[in-house]
Amino acid sequence: MLQLILFGPPGAGKGTQAQALVEHFKFVHLSTGDLLRAEIAAQTALGLEAKRFIDAGELVPDETVIGMIRILLDRIDTVPGVIYDGFPRTVAQAKELDKMLTSCKEGITALLSLEVPHDELVKRLLLRGESSGRTDDTDIATIENRISVYEAKTQPLIDYYTQLGKYHPIAGVGTIQEISQRLISDVDKL
Ligand code: ADP
């Protein structure tokens, strides 16, 4: 079973490209951002706590997201593959994911990393904020903070997976279809 991390800064297009991979390969899509937004919409205690972090452009605590992923992984049966989107976002999360997968004799196959320049990210997020209603996409200071948090806490995962020989950089600029094609041909080779 392929275990793929779709990686990249906020606005890199992870959610959009995850959908394309799901359609093409029938993978299961696990997005911690979507899961957290569902908790917020349902006004659960977890959602209310997470909202404070999300609205400030900060990361939700590791234990919260690890707990959500653990529950879902326990429920997944045999599928061609799993795509993690927005998870792991810290080295601590990556190590926990490794432990969870080792315990069921699996491991991460590859980190598919969408590479997009900073100015393009800000442009895309502001544009998304106009239509999505996502509060974390409308304020430029929050957007810049998310990108800084990505650089400080999430980008180090590139080194972590490079050392494991699993880092696959993919150009994240161009049309949505062009980028999907790059991802699909990379996954075909795995
Ligand atoms: P984007 O990739 O555009 O930032 P996401 O939907 O992946 O959007 O995440 C939205 C917000 O949810 C993040 O800014 C963060 O606050 C929170 N979040 C999502 N996934 C995680 C995670 N793995 N660890 C901590 N916080 C997370």
Side-chain angles (χ1 to χ4, degrees):
M1 183 153 107
L2 294 179
Q3 303 276 348
L4 305 170
I5 300 171
L6 196 52
F7 187 81
K14 300 183 292 287
T16 307
Q17 295 302 336
Q19 274 172 15
L21 291 173
V22 165
E23 269 170 40
H24 190 91
F25 293 106
K26 309 289 173 236
F27 293 151
V28 167
H29 177 207
L30 295 185
S31 157
T32 41
D34 287 352
L35 292 167
L36 290 167
R37 282 185 288 278
E39 295 280 340
I40 293 172
Q43 298 191 315
T44 64
L46 190 156
L48 292 177
E49 206 225 330
K51 187 171 177 3
R52 288 191 293 127
F53 294 98
I54 293 176
D55 284 349
E58 297 292 331
L59 294 184
V60 172
D62 285 338
E63 314 80 71
T64 308
V65 286
I66 290 165
M68 291 193 315
I69 290 286
R70 196 185 298 282
I71 291 170
L72 288 174
L73 279 184
D74 280 347
R75 290 193 197 144
I76 291 176
D77 270 342
T78 329
V79 287
V82 180
I83 305 178
Y84 302 89
D85 160 7
F87 181 89
R89 249 180 163 95
T90 62
V91 173
Q93 292 177 19
K95 289 187 174 162
E96 272 309 310
L97 179 60
D98 281 347
K99 275 196 227 157
M100 286 185 238
L101 293 179
T102 318
S103 71
C104 48
K105 300 193 173 51
E106 296 269 354
I108 289 298
T109 318
L111 180 88
L112 307 171
S113 175
L114 292 170
E115 321 258 306
V116 179
H118 177 277
D119 290 355
E120 174 71 16
L121 297 174
V122 176
K123 217 168 69 188
R124 288 186 190 177
L125 290 169
L126 285 171
L127 194 69
R128 184 169 77 184
E130 286 174 16
S131 56
S132 71
R134 272 181 59 170
T135 44
D136 56 345
D137 280 346
T138 36
D139 175 50
I140 183 80
T142 309
I143 289 176
E144 289 290 1
N145 190 45
R146 282 159 64 202
I147 297 175
S148 306
V149 169
Y150 166 81
E151 286 167 356
K153 299 193 175 154
T154 309
Q155 204 153 257
L157 289 178
I158 292 184
D159 283 345
Y160 181 85
Y161 288 101
T162 299
Q163 279 165 17
L164 299 171
K166 294 180 176 169
Y167 169 58
H168 294 227
I170 283 145
V173 284
T175 66
I176 291 176
Q177 286 79 1
E178 279 164 353
I179 302 164
S180 311
Q181 269 318 312
R182 283 177 208 140
L183 283 163
I184 290 169
S185 56
D186 196 288
V187 173
D188 272 335
K189 290 185 213 123
L190 292 171

